[in-house]
Amino acid sequence: MDRVDVKVINKSHHPLPEYETHEAAGMDVRAYLPDGPVTLKPGERALIGTGLYMQLPSGYECQIRPRSGLALRHGLSIVNSPGTVDADYRGEIGIILINLGQEDYTVNDGDRICQMVVKEYSKVKWVPTDRLDRTKREDGKFGHTGVE
């Protein structure tokens, strides 16, 4: 597995995001709520600060993903999942949480609210054409594979 250096400023009083296990792909990110907890009613969304600012190397992105336990137990998710932080962004990393559950959910300062995955990406060079290679699937729609 590759390792990449990422410059980071942490304006919160929480530890930097970290991998909870040796083989984890995502680092847990904590809420930074200096003005107090935020309660999300069912269907509500809010921008939750992290106090983190980063400088990713060119050719890398940071993906923000929901935490599966919060999604299963409370219906808490991320509106634009996965969220993307581009290498040229320098503002605070904010998490757009949404409560898809049936009860109010309170986010407290220091709660682990999402996962962060740093990935290398490729740039597309479009090649205009009049024909695409044939495949067995062709133009089959959603749920098409495995259906006789």
Side-chain angles (χ1 to χ4, degrees):
M1 109 185 50
D2 293 333
R3 297 199 185 272
V4 61
D5 291 337
V6 175
K7 292 181 179 180
V8 62
I9 296 171
N10 185 358
K11 293 188 179 181
S12 81
H13 52 271
H14 305 299
L16 288 173
E18 56 190 347
Y19 300 100
E20 295 296 320
T21 65
H22 177 69
E23 295 294 327
M27 296 175 274
D28 287 344
V29 177
R30 297 179 183 275
Y32 177 53
L33 298 169
D35 297 329
V38 172
T39 298
L40 297 171
K41 296 185 181 318
E44 275 191 325
R45 62 187 177 272
L47 180 62
I48 306 295
T50 64
L52 300 173
Y53 301 72
M54 70 173 72
Q55 180 179 328
L56 294 163
S58 181
Y60 284 83
E61 66 161 328
C62 172
Q63 298 176 359
I64 303 297
R65 302 176 182 179
R67 293 192 67 227
S68 56
L70 290 176
L72 176 64
R73 288 190 290 281
H74 305 286
L76 199 67
S77 193
I78 297 174
V79 176
N80 60 327
S81 178
T84 297
V85 180
D86 294 311
D88 58 352
Y89 178 69
R90 296 294 185 269
E92 180 181 12
I93 306 302
I95 312 303
I96 308 170
L97 289 181
I98 187 166
N99 181 357
L100 299 173
Q102 298 174 352
E103 299 177 7
D104 290 1
Y105 185 85
T106 300
V107 181
N108 295 293
D109 185 52
D111 284 354
R112 294 181 299 158
I113 56 170
C114 67
Q115 290 193 38
M116 172 186 288
V117 176
V118 175
K119 297 289 295 173
E120 194 170 15
Y121 63 86
S122 300
K123 287 282 192 171
V124 170
K125 178 183 178 238
W126 294 110
V127 180
T129 185
D130 293 328
R131 288 184 3 182
L132 302 175
D133 295 343
R134 305 283 315 246
T135 68
K136 182 177 177 183
R137 182 175 182 178
E138 290 299 322
D139 63 351
K141 307 293 188 254
F142 293 110
H144 174 77
T145 57
V147 177
E148 297 289 328

